[in-house]
Amino acid sequence: MASAGRPRRRARPPQTAHPGDSVTEVAGAPGCRRRRDGALPVVERGHLIGLVTAADILGAEVHRSIAARAADARDRRRPS
């Protein structure tokens, strides 16, 4: 029961990710940064299809960084 004189806080709609969202979009989502459990629900057509965790985001960024370094190294070895 709400105490007298204090308005009830409205519940915010849950923050979710969608299957087509990029890693950058998911990492920047306000819900991803605020969640205590470190996971953002992935929803498609109203159904939960998975969770994106902080570890997933970090892993994707590390993979992207390694791939970029490998591409730079290949470009440097090519004769001009």
Side-chain angles (χ1 to χ4, degrees):
M1 174 159 59
S3 59
R6 290 185 66 193
R8 291 181 66 182
R9 291 177 61 185
R10 286 187 181 173
R12 291 184 199 166
Q15 293 289 320
T16 60
H18 303 283
D21 290 349
S22 70
V23 172
T24 304
E25 290 171 323
V26 173
C32 191
R33 293 189 304 265
R34 281 197 300 259
R35 292 184 63 89
R36 290 185 192 137
D37 58 9
L40 191 64
V42 180
V43 176
E44 184 173 39
R45 295 188 206 127
H47 296 282
L48 177 68
I49 60 169
L51 295 172
V52 177
T53 66
D56 295 330
I57 294 167
L58 180 60
E61 290 299 319
V62 168
H63 184 269
R64 183 184 303 175
S65 177
I66 290 170
R69 285 183 180 213
D72 286 345
R74 280 192 309 269
D75 290 345
R76 283 190 217 128
R77 287 193 304 247
R78 285 188 188 151
S80 302

